[in-house]
């Protein structure tokens, strides 16, 4: 899955923040919820326009990015 499949950014939408594609919900909000130890279900209840599949894809992409950073610095 590509980032552009689940995320977008447009200066005309939420001041250019990275949002879930097709929604006006900044992806940073998801990570704020997770840092606060809220569940995915709580996030989805508060932002019903975001689909679970989008959230799961963003988390997977973030994990892949972290893994690549670790491998890059370990080499």
């Amino acid at each position: 899955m590509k980032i552009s499949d689940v995320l977008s950014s447009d200066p005309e939408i939420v001041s250019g923040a990275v949002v879930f594609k097709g929604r006006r919900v900044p992806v940073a909000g998801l990570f704020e919820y997770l840092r606060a130890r809220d569940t995915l279900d709580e996030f989805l209840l508060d932002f019903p326009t975001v689909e679970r599949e989008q959230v799961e894809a963003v988390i997977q992409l973030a994990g892949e990015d972290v893994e690549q950073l670790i491998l890059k610095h370990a080499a």
Side-chain angles (χ1 to χ4, degrees):
M1 173 161 307
K2 297 183 297 185
I3 291 174
S4 61
D5 292 339
V6 291
L7 301 174
S8 65
S9 179
D10 181 331
E12 301 293 319
I13 299 173
V14 193
S15 300
V18 177
V19 297
F20 290 93
K21 189 171 186 169
R23 312 296 188 263
R24 298 179 65 85
V25 178
V27 73
L30 168 63
F31 293 102
E32 288 173 15
Y33 267 65
L34 296 176
R35 277 192 297 274
R37 298 184 186 265
D38 292 321
T39 66
L40 292 183
D41 288 334
E42 290 170 311
F43 177 81
L44 293 167
L45 283 172
D46 288 345
F47 299 96
T49 61
V50 179
E51 298 172 5
R52 179 174 290 277
E53 293 79 18
Q54 290 176 297
V55 172
E56 290 172 351
V58 166
I59 292 170
Q60 179 181 347
L61 288 166
E64 290 171 4
D65 283 348
V66 169
E67 189 174 304
Q68 290 301 315
L69 283 171
I70 291 169
L71 292 173
K72 180 179 176 184
H73 289 288

